[in-house]
Amino acid sequence: MPSFSMVVVGSGGGPDETNLSAYLIKPHNADWEDGITALDAGSGKGALKRIIKETPSTFARRNDESDSKATSPLSANKIYSCIRAFIITHAHLDHISSLVISAGSLSGPRKSVFALKPILFDLENVFDDRLWPRLASWDERDDSYKLLYQALLPDDGYHTISPDISARVMPLSHGHNLTCGVYDSSALFIRHTNRQEFLFFGDVEPDSVSLKPRTIHVWRVAATKFPETLSTIFIECSWPNGRADDTLYGHLSPVHLADELTTLAKEVVLLRRLNGKRPRANSRPSRKKTKVNPVTSEDLVGALDGLRVFVTHCKDDDGASPDLPINHLITNQILAADQGMCIECMRVWTIAG
């Protein structure tokens, strides 16, 4: 039985403003009207209107023939009013634009915005009464039309987002700039009350080129959960192969994504060796001070068997072949990557919003 239902409102990385990072989730056994959690908020109501027009059943209520409302479709406005919380991986415009534009016009209960504190500080610079009205605050007593900032702590804990959903956040590096140095993004472990979870990445720079490699810490935690409680990962791959490392701008390409997934496979192999068995779900990563033989390519074969990887944030390229959309090109390059053969054992898709 699935734990979550997800609708991809947008999965692209730009420059097409109608397809920007935005995902809506709910517990699988609940109705959308019971409460929605938004993961990022790039595209919004406009994209929802198109989705509902093309596939009216996308937000259908659970199949209950005794419910006279079961066949009535939900509008884009209604869906957005059902959002109870936004979780923002970082504050770049392609991940927050619909959150900003819709602020102040959302009906229903007050909406919380969860993120690492530095990311919320970035949002404060947007809702500063100049760039956009001050439609968000830290004050729980404030007006219901204002978004409520809620800081996620980068600790080992899971923070309640809704009655059935909790999240653990881990900081990522997403390039750097001259004013603030390394720019923060986030990886999110999204957990259902049944203990099943998935891993959702914001934009992420390859550890191999980063000034502050942090993705390794995420893989070490993920390795303790795979495959018992975690078997699905959403991760970006913005550029096709052939782009120079100094022009990745804090993003992955297929060769770097393959390298990152190989790191995860190595962590899984090492944990199984150290523990003498498959790691217990949700256990702490073990790093005993014992000599461990190097992990070989042969060791990696089958290490990630059963893992599902959804590739997001592919950037549109007007120069790409019209017969092969950029997301298909990137998928093919990922599957062709020669990184210890571990990718052969996984199912890899790109998401098109």
Side-chain angles (χ1 to χ4, degrees), residues 123-161:
L123 280 173
E124 278 193 304
N125 290 330
V126 177
F127 293 110
D128 66 351
D129 260 351
R130 292 174 61 83
L131 195 62
W132 204 249
R134 203 179 301 277
L135 295 172
S137 79
W138 298 89
D139 190 349
E140 294 184 0
R141 300 165 299 176
D142 227 331
D143 296 319
S144 62
Y145 68 87
K146 290 187 177 181
L147 301 169
L148 176 64
Y149 296 129
Q150 302 242 40
L152 292 175
L153 301 177
D155 52 23
D156 294 344
Y158 282 75
H159 304 265
T160 300
I161 305 300

Side-chain angles (χ1 to χ4, degrees), residues 10-78:
S11 66
D16 179 359
E17 74 280 1
T18 68
N19 183 25
L20 301 175
S21 182
Y23 304 80
L24 302 181
I25 64 170
K26 68 173 181 65
H28 181 73
N29 60 354
D31 283 323
W32 293 102
E33 290 168 288
D34 295 335
I36 298 170
T37 298
L39 303 179
D40 280 340
S43 293
K45 289 185 182 181
L48 278 173
K49 288 178 181 179
R50 174 179 55 80
I51 291 169
I52 293 170
K53 181 178 180 180
E54 294 176 354
T55 314
S57 62
T58 300
F59 293 98
R61 297 176 178 89
R62 285 177 296 166
N63 187 20
D64 183 355
E65 294 181 356
S66 65
D67 185 355
S68 62
K69 300 184 297 181
T71 58
S72 58
L74 298 174
S75 67
N77 285 335
K78 178 64 174 178

Side-chain angles (χ1 to χ4, degrees), residues 250-264:
H251 293 289
L252 296 173
S253 63
V255 65
H256 287 296
L257 175 55
D259 185 56
E260 292 292 340
L261 293 173
T262 299
T263 299
L264 171 60

Side-chain angles (χ1 to χ4, degrees), residues 276-335:
K277 58 183 179 180
R278 284 179 174 239
R280 180 170 56 85
N282 302 319
S283 63
R284 279 184 174 274
S286 174
R287 285 293 178 273
K288 298 178 183 177
K289 293 183 179 180
T290 56
K291 185 176 181 179
V292 179
N293 292 329
V295 177
T296 66
S297 296
E298 289 75 17
D299 295 327
L300 296 178
V301 176
L304 299 182
D305 191 15
L307 181 66
R308 297 183 298 174
V309 177
F310 292 91
V311 177
T312 66
H313 209 266
C314 300
K315 289 183 175 289
D316 288 332
D317 181 2
D318 290 338
S321 168
D323 299 325
L324 191 64
I326 190 65
N327 58 317
H328 292 178
L329 171 63
I330 287 175
T331 301
N332 292 343
Q333 291 180 350
I334 294 168
L335 294 173

